[in-house]
Amino acid sequence: MTEHTSLGSAVRQAGFIVLAVIVAPALGLWLTGGDPTAFLRFPPRPLEAAPGSFTPPVFAVYLLAIVAVLGPFIVRVLRSSPDPRVGAAQAPRRRYPRWGWWGVGLLAVSWLIAWVPIPGLEEARRLSFTPLWVGYTIAISAWVAARGGRCLLLEAPKRFLALFPASAVFWYLFEYLNQFTGNWIYAGTGVADGEALNWFLRSALPFSTVLPAVLVTRDWFATWPRLSAGLDHFAPIRPVRPRRVALIAWVAGFSGLAAVAVWPTALYSLLWTAPPLLMVAGQALAGERQVFSTVARGDWRGPWLAVMAALFCGLCWELWNVFSLARWTYHIPHAQVLLVFEMPLLGYAGYLPFGITCVVAAQLLTGQSPGLEKR
């Protein structure tokens, strides 16, 4: 297996997955007598918001499921000591790069503009999301370099830059899926006829920052061995018939996306869990290296750090959203309670599988390695 996924193979797989993600909910809606053509439009936007509600039994089931999945990993990390021979524990430390301060400055200025109603800067305030996250990505990349980790910006600049357009394509798929569930709504962004191009120009740039932010955050977390202590040797999984398992997982992911369109209020959480299942299973069926390849030998650090990176970025997204002019609100059935910023507490669970999705998408769309090894 080469260090990077073959770009041609990755693009073919990406095209197949994009087609599956688009077709699955449309097929589910069509099979139940609905009209999927109403959702094949640009820009993608929900017909209506989901019913935000709180149902204690359903909330409890979600909470128990989240604890059951995360609990063993958290206990393992807390009870383990980082191996000094692993990862960046022995990497030489350097001074924070001078170019990183440009990122810090861009982040700070953009944050100020995003939150403070300065007269005459209303339009800049609406457009502040992109420079804010570009500044974050540069600042964190510099921190990674200073800590001796793998810095995509320096070690693979072409692949790093390719993450930005890939990210825009990637997030538009989630905007498409959100049409069926209506879980988030953008405030003040109603699109009239003939304004699709304007909406695209305003949305593509902020959407382009999603993958770079998550990937550099994962690499940053990898320089702190304490965050994944003990997960280099933990619960190996070796299926007896891996291709059969992958095929079942692929069918489950495709069926999950189809079911979301039929029962969006009950199964909206599949919007986050079905795509990574579909994507990783597709890679396994194609014989490609993927984010869970190391799990066969008990190394869970890659998946764990991807999950934690997306959760951290999620907290930052919601923090910076709360006082922004161009903002979004959430409508979560059965769990619209205990808001942290605009997001209901259990809604943050969606960021956990989203981290896996980001790593897989980066690999498929740019040929980026799914692992943590340095180039």
Side-chain angles (χ1 to χ4, degrees):
M1 185 66 65
T2 59
E3 185 179 357
H4 297 286
T5 299
S6 164
L7 188 55
S9 173
V11 169
R12 287 192 296 272
Q13 288 184 56
F16 183 71
I17 288 172
V18 167
L19 182 63
V21 169
I22 292 173
V23 168
L27 180 62
L29 198 62
W30 178 74
L31 290 175
T32 55
D35 179 16
T37 61
F39 299 90
L40 300 175
R41 57 183 179 162
F42 191 88
R45 55 200 185 279
L47 297 177
E48 59 182 359
S53 60
F54 175 55
T55 308
V58 177
F59 181 90
V61 169
Y62 275 130
L63 182 60
L64 289 174
I66 294 166
V67 171
V69 172
L70 290 184
F73 292 91
I74 294 173
V75 170
R76 176 73 172 184
V77 170
L78 292 178
R79 289 184 174 179
S80 302
S81 299
D83 187 340
R85 300 168 297 175
V86 171
Q90 289 185 323
R93 302 295 189 264
R94 308 181 183 94
R95 293 185 63 181
Y96 189 78
R98 185 176 301 175
W99 53 266
W101 291 109
W102 288 99
V104 173
L106 181 60
L107 189 158
V109 171
S110 301
W111 191 345
L112 177 69
I113 292 174
W115 274 18
V116 179
I118 302 172
L121 291 182
E122 289 80 10
E123 187 63 15
R125 194 177 173 199
R126 289 189 181 90
L127 300 176
S128 61
F129 187 94
T130 301
L132 195 159
W133 277 98
V134 169
Y136 170 92
T137 302
I138 294 173
I140 296 298
S141 294
W143 200 341
V144 172
R147 289 187 56 79
R150 72 167 197 178
C151 178
L152 297 177
L153 192 155
L154 297 181
E155 298 172 17
K158 291 182 179 179
R159 291 182 186 271
F160 174 77
L161 292 176
L163 286 173
F164 287 87
S167 179
V169 174
F170 166 72
W171 187 252
Y172 278 126
L173 286 177
F174 279 93
E175 294 293 335
Y176 166 76
L177 293 176
N178 185 51
Q179 293 184 111
F180 298 92
T181 62
N183 290 143
W184 64 89
I185 302 291
Y186 295 102
T189 57
V191 181
D193 292 340
E195 291 187 358
L197 177 59
N198 182 51
W199 190 90
F200 169 75
L201 295 174
R202 286 176 173 268
S203 63
L205 286 177
F207 292 170
S208 75
T209 62
V210 174
L211 289 183
V214 174
L215 268 291
V216 302
T217 302
R218 179 198 61 170
D219 292 344
W220 178 42
F221 282 1
T223 68
W224 304 86
R226 171 72 264 178
L227 297 179
S228 57
L231 296 184
D232 52 328
H233 296 92
F234 178 62
I237 296 179
R238 304 184 186 91
V240 177
R241 294 180 175 86
R243 286 191 61 82
R244 179 179 297 181
V245 171
L247 180 59
I248 293 172
W250 193 93
V251 171
F254 187 89
S255 301
L257 287 179
V260 163
V262 182
W263 302 288
T265 300
L267 301 179
Y268 64 90
S269 60
L270 292 179
L271 185 152
W272 302 106
T273 57
L277 193 64
L278 186 97
M279 296 163 74
V280 173
Q283 288 181 299
L285 288 171
E288 294 284 356
R289 181 170 174 240
Q290 32 83 11
V291 67
F292 287 103
S293 294
T294 59
V295 169
R297 63 174 186 268
D299 188 351
W300 285 87
R301 290 173 299 164
W304 174 255
L305 291 175
V307 163
M308 291 297 102
L311 181 59
F312 181 83
C313 286
L315 286 167
C316 292
W317 276 314
E318 306 308 334
L319 167 66
W320 288 324
N321 171 57
V322 71
F323 295 124
S324 298
L325 277 183
R327 57 199 297 273
W328 57 90
T329 58
Y330 291 98
H331 306 267
I332 311 297
H334 311 300
Q336 191 80 18
V337 67
L338 302 176
L339 269 62
V340 179
F341 310 123
E342 290 288 348
M343 172 74 86
L345 180 62
L346 287 195
Y348 284 93
Y351 283 115
L352 306 179
F354 183 65
I356 302 298
T357 308
C358 287
V359 171
V360 178
Q363 181 183 4
L364 292 173
L365 294 172
T366 70
Q368 194 68 247
S369 169
L372 296 170
E373 70 281 351
K374 293 193 71 171
R375 289 156 177 73

